[in-house]
Amino acid sequence: MIGFDNTWLRSLPGSFLRLDPDVAPDPKLVVWNGDLAAELALSPEVQRHAARWFSGAEVPPGAEPVALAYAGHQFGGFSAQLGDGRAHLLGEVLGPDGRRWDIQLKGSGRTPFSRGGDGKAALGPMLREFLISESMAAMGVATTRALAVVITGETVWRDGGALPGAVVARVAASHIRVGSFQFFAARGEDDKLRALMDYTIARHYPQLSPGDGLGLFDAVTRAQAKLIAQWMGLGFVHGVMNTDNMALSGETIDYGPCAFMDAYAPGTVFSSIDRQGRYAYGNQPLILGWNLARLAECLLPFFDADEARAVTLANERLGAIAEIYRDEFLAVMAAKLGLGAPDAALTDDLLLLLPGEDWTQFFRALSEGRAVAPALQDWQQRWRALGPDLAAMQQVNPVVIPRNHLVEAALEAATLGDMAPFTALLAELRRPFAPAAGREAFALPAPEGFGSYVTFCGT
Ligand code: AMP
Ligand code: MG
């Protein structure tokens, strides 16, 4: 049994539709996250039922599946109604430490929010979410986790090709997004907006009082600034930082066309649909501010009862985001460089010299006391004179990240029924900071012939 406790359903009527997932005809468990199951203290019985419970074949006892409604700005354009078009929230569980988690199925069938979509997912993208979210967690980044991937026994069609259908069961601190607030704000449903705000405060920021919109905004700003700074430190490109993909909890959510940069280039974009580079690597801090401005618009009535005063407060907050982010980024870089305190000039100079170098390998080389490219050696001397802590650096600069060519090879093999490359890659991603010796192939950037990497959305 899973001890579901569904506070969302009781607290926020009007924010979801109650409906069951599609029944998977022939479910088979392909990956089980035993570590996460243990963290959640799920009983061994859950794993035995995983194929059925986490595919939609059977609704687990106590679950009350819902599709959540939300709105959102997608690539800057507003949709008043998006919502879970292929996902079902099964319910909430409490971990042994009392923390509350959502368990959600993705790829589990059409809902009234599906628009043109089929409500399904192919195996490759669901395994991709599993791999990359596990890697992020292992590197210490706040993220949703994947508990299981189940093949449904159905075929899904993508670009004219037949692919095995799959469902990922994911665990999140919650699925409250900026878009969840935009949904009620756009409809002028002030009471529901207030209920959502208080629910979010109670669930994620319980140190705040109910009604404290400004406190909530500040807390989310800090959490998100910290998160984006971590992404930047690891060379992670989310790919779809739409407001419906930004979580109030501060977790990374909705792994779609995301990927890690090899050579440092601020303009790096992987997503096939991001033609303008809106969500390019180097733009992510700006989009952080843009998305938070959308959240501020929703929370404005709770900043101050007096509208003019609320706007002034909002503008002050928005004006401060760049600096809050910059402090977080400089702290991330100080840790990457093994320095006790941030050094803005040293960091900025490095970023001017670094384009073209493999981001991950460069920092690891520094942390192992190796020589770097000639053009960077003067900088390296300057840095070394500060007495960096190399051992500490090796705890934050990964050796193994989800390199695009390895992820692709693992997913391709899995789609053909061979899980061995996936399993091998996952094992290495789970110990990102261990030395490269004996696993060099997992540490190298893509070979020359791999070409530029393109990822796809809504996959
Ligand atoms: P995403 O880019 O994954 O955050 O998805 C944006 C929106 O499209 C969400 O409302 C999803 O539920 C929906 N969506 C994505 N893929 C599908 C699909 N295959 N079928 C139905 N809805 C989908
Ligand atoms: Mg999404």
Side-chain angles (χ1 to χ4, degrees):
M1 290 288 271
I2 305 174
F4 284 107
D5 175 31
N6 304 327
T7 59
W8 183 278
L9 274 72
R10 293 196 293 278
S11 313
L12 296 163
S15 71
F16 59 84
L17 294 169
R18 170 78 182 83
L19 74 167
D20 286 351
D22 281 1
V23 176
D26 186 17
K28 288 193 176 65
L29 183 64
V30 283
V31 204
W32 176 250
N33 193 337
D35 293 353
L36 180 59
E39 276 177 46
L40 297 175
L42 297 177
S43 71
E45 185 206 354
V46 177
Q47 187 180 353
R48 286 198 298 277
H49 286 90
R52 297 188 62 75
W53 286 358
F54 300 129
S55 65
E58 196 180 308
V59 174
E64 298 171 82
V66 296
L68 299 180
Y70 47 83
H73 279 89
Q74 301 188 301
F75 290 89
F78 185 63
S79 293
Q81 188 170 293
L82 292 168
D84 291 332
R86 55 165 174 173
H88 294 79
L89 175 63
L90 292 181
E92 302 147 27
V93 294
L94 295 174
D97 56 1
R99 283 166 75 188
R100 182 175 297 276
W101 302 101
D102 278 2
I103 301 185
Q104 190 208 53
L105 304 184
K106 181 166 159 184
S108 43
R110 285 182 56 83
T111 76
F113 306 121
S114 300
R115 291 164 291 159
D118 62 1
K120 307 286 179 178
L123 177 62
M126 298 302 98
L127 289 177
R128 195 180 153 76
E129 169 148 350
F130 195 112
L131 265 186
I132 300 191
S133 61
E134 280 306 287
S135 163
M136 293 287 263
M139 294 191 293
V141 181
T143 177
T144 62
R145 303 278 302 270
L147 178 63
V149 175
V150 182
I151 293 182
T152 58
E154 277 181 333
T155 297
V156 301
W157 296 88
R158 294 289 182 266
D159 299 323
L163 294 168
V167 172
V168 64
R170 71 176 177 193
V171 172
S174 81
H175 285 84
I176 305 170
R177 308 146 187 272
V178 171
S180 312
F181 283 79
Q182 291 180 291
F183 179 74
F184 287 139
R187 295 158 69 102
E189 296 185 315
D190 293 348
D191 293 352
K192 289 178 178 163
L193 194 60
R194 168 73 201 244
L196 175 62
M197 181 177 76
D198 286 344
Y199 181 89
T200 307
I201 287 173
R203 185 152 169 184
H204 296 301
Y205 304 101
Q207 70 278 15
L208 302 175
S209 309
D212 185 0
L214 215 45
L216 176 62
F217 185 78
D218 289 343
V220 173
T221 298
R222 279 193 299 276
Q224 279 289 339
K226 183 169 187 256
L227 180 68
I228 308 302
Q230 284 187 303
W231 291 0
M232 298 300 283
L234 293 167
F236 177 76
V237 184
H238 181 282
V240 246
M241 285 178 72
N242 292 333
T243 56
D244 52 303
N245 291 337
M246 183 181 265
L248 276 277
S249 64
E251 286 185 335
T252 311
I253 190 168
D254 277 359
Y255 290 87
C258 60
F260 286 78
M261 169 175 81
D262 284 352
Y264 173 60
T268 301
V269 171
F270 296 108
S271 171
S272 63
I273 61 168
D274 191 2
R275 294 193 188 86
Q276 312 289 324
R278 179 180 171 91
Y279 300 139
Y281 170 78
N283 254 7
Q284 295 181 126
L286 288 176
I287 296 295
L288 162 76
W290 197 91
N291 287 351
L292 287 171
R294 305 290 78 75
L295 179 63
E297 286 163 5
C298 299
L299 293 177
L300 208 56
F302 311 109
F303 283 1
D304 200 286
D306 175 68
E307 197 181 324
R309 174 92 190 118
V311 170
T312 304
L313 287 167
N315 283 331
E316 277 169 22
R317 287 333 201 251
L318 297 179
I321 292 171
E323 204 176 315
I324 293 170
Y325 167 75
R326 174 119 173 118
D327 287 348
E328 292 290 350
F329 179 67
L330 289 175
V332 164
M333 292 304 287
K336 284 182 82 66
L337 296 172
L339 305 177
D343 187 327
L346 190 79
T347 302
D348 290 343
D349 290 350
L350 174 62
L351 294 179
L352 285 176
L353 294 166
L354 206 54
E357 293 297 312
D358 184 83
W359 178 265
T360 304
Q361 288 208 321
F362 172 79
F363 288 100
R364 192 67 193 191
L366 280 187
S367 69
E368 292 173 358
R370 287 185 270 132
V372 295
L376 283 147
Q377 285 173 4
D378 285 349
W379 179 92
Q380 192 178 16
Q381 292 295 335
R382 222 172 111 199
W383 162 75
R384 203 178 273 134
L386 299 172
D389 180 344
L390 300 191
M393 289 171 73
Q394 290 172 26
Q395 299 307 308
V396 296
N397 288 300
V399 168
V400 177
I401 57 164
R403 297 277 183 181
N404 301 321
H405 63 295
L406 296 177
V407 172
E408 279 311 302
L411 302 188
E412 225 166 88
T415 298
L416 297 171
D418 175 12
M419 288 299 292
F422 176 93
T423 308
L425 178 56
L426 179 61
E428 300 306 335
L429 291 171
R430 281 185 163 151
R431 46 187 205 114
F433 305 116
R439 56 178 193 150
E440 288 83 359
F442 292 94
L444 294 174
E448 286 287 330
F450 187 66
S452 62
Y453 187 56
V454 180
T455 55
F456 299 90
C457 232
T459 35

